[in-house]
Amino acid sequence: MSLRACILASCDNAPYLAEAIASVRAQSLPFEAIVIADDASTDSSRDLIRVLAAADRRIVPVLRERRLGPGANRDLAIRDTQADWIVTLDGDDVMAPGKHAAEWAAVLPFAGRAPAIGFSDVALTDAFGAETGRWSLSLYGAMDGAERTGWFARRTAPIPRDMLLPKAVYLQAGGFAHDLPLYEDWDFKLRLSALAAVWRHSGIIGTRYRRQGGGLSDAPPGQHERWQAEVRRRNRDLIAAVGS
């Protein structure tokens, strides 16, 4: 039996966290475990997590006593889970009800035969949940590894997020870096894209990605430039190999 877990990483997301957790609990194909990794929040997030964990035995609360940053918080939670397959979600986003079922159906023909990654389209929303756009990502399922890595390196199109993948593949790719305050997801996905794995699109919108302002993405432009350059430096051999 394959055990599947959602790793929900959160930091001071109290206004949105209940909705994020509810969306994971309501999946048409339930997760066996819901790991909620709270990165030393100072709002009411931790009280909410404790209450929900008492009501749902699938919820595994991980309450950090000191702030680790997004990469370390998520990475350590993934490494600690006993699940065979993982999905991630941020504490201010929402998972569509059929996401897990659709992605599991997409990878199931390959389970046990070849590494496989399931992914979905992404709906962009504002702070109030109103949809403002969509990332249509089905093209990635038609690309081989080198072509996909080239697209990831150039960042000329949105990159899939919150994918379903085997924990073993996550570990093989090296996981999320602990020392990148920005673009740790891009760094990880560059390494992930270079592995020999089959990517399969679910055919649906899987994540409602909330852009509410005030988060890490609102860091000063100089910070974005600095950490983008650092990700390129760390992955220069990989990027050079695909000609990007």
Side-chain angles (χ1 to χ4, degrees):
M1 178 180 179
S2 295
L3 299 179
R4 301 177 302 276
C6 177
I7 312 297
L8 195 157
S10 182
C11 182
D12 290 332
N13 289 138
Y16 314 108
L17 185 58
E19 185 180 11
I21 297 171
S23 74
V24 179
R25 296 176 71 191
Q27 288 297 294
S28 58
L29 176 65
F31 289 101
E32 284 82 13
I34 303 170
V35 179
I36 306 177
D38 178 85
D39 198 17
S41 289
T42 56
D43 59 12
S44 60
S45 296
R46 296 158 83 87
D47 292 336
L48 172 65
I49 293 167
R50 291 187 184 99
V51 169
L52 293 177
D56 189 336
R57 62 178 179 80
R58 296 175 301 159
I59 294 179
V60 180
V62 178
L63 307 178
R64 311 289 185 198
E65 294 304 319
R66 63 181 182 87
R67 190 154 296 180
L68 302 181
N73 181 42
R74 190 180 294 111
D75 177 70
L76 293 174
I78 292 171
R79 290 178 186 273
D80 286 345
T81 183
Q82 299 302 305
D84 305 295
W85 292 77
I86 59 165
V87 176
T88 59
L89 187 72
D90 287 347
D92 55 351
D93 294 336
V94 174
M95 187 176 288
K99 177 183 186 294
H100 186 206
E103 291 178 357
W104 182 241
V107 302
L108 192 57
F110 304 93
R113 297 193 299 110
I117 297 169
F119 65 102
S120 302
D121 286 354
V122 176
L124 308 179
T125 74
D126 61 20
F128 305 101
E131 190 165 328
T132 60
R134 174 175 174 175
W135 294 349
S136 298
L137 303 172
S138 60
L139 77 162
Y140 287 116
M143 294 178 175
D144 64 22
E147 186 178 12
R148 186 164 44 243
T149 300
W151 276 68
F152 280 29
R154 290 188 293 272
R155 293 176 60 88
T156 52
I159 298 173
R161 59 182 292 125
D162 305 321
M163 303 88 70
L164 170 68
L165 69 158
K167 180 181 174 182
V169 172
Y170 173 84
L171 296 175
Q172 184 183 358
F176 291 99
H178 290 203
D179 59 343
L180 288 173
L182 293 171
Y183 296 101
E184 80 289 344
D185 54 340
W186 180 34
D187 173 65
F188 167 67
K189 290 169 192 173
L190 272 170
R191 290 180 271 112
L192 181 67
S193 70
L195 299 182
V198 176
W199 291 58
R200 284 294 178 268
H201 187 257
S202 70
I204 68 167
I205 293 175
T207 301
R208 298 182 64 81
Y209 173 37
R210 195 188 307 264
R211 292 175 160 178
Q212 85 276 12
L216 292 173
S217 60
D218 288 333
Q223 291 294 308
H224 285 272
E225 293 167 4
R226 174 187 175 186
W227 294 111
Q228 285 181 22
E230 175 61 16
V231 170
R232 292 190 180 95
R233 185 192 68 79
R234 295 185 183 197
N235 295 278
R236 59 178 176 266
D237 293 342
L238 174 62
I239 293 171
V242 295
S244 295

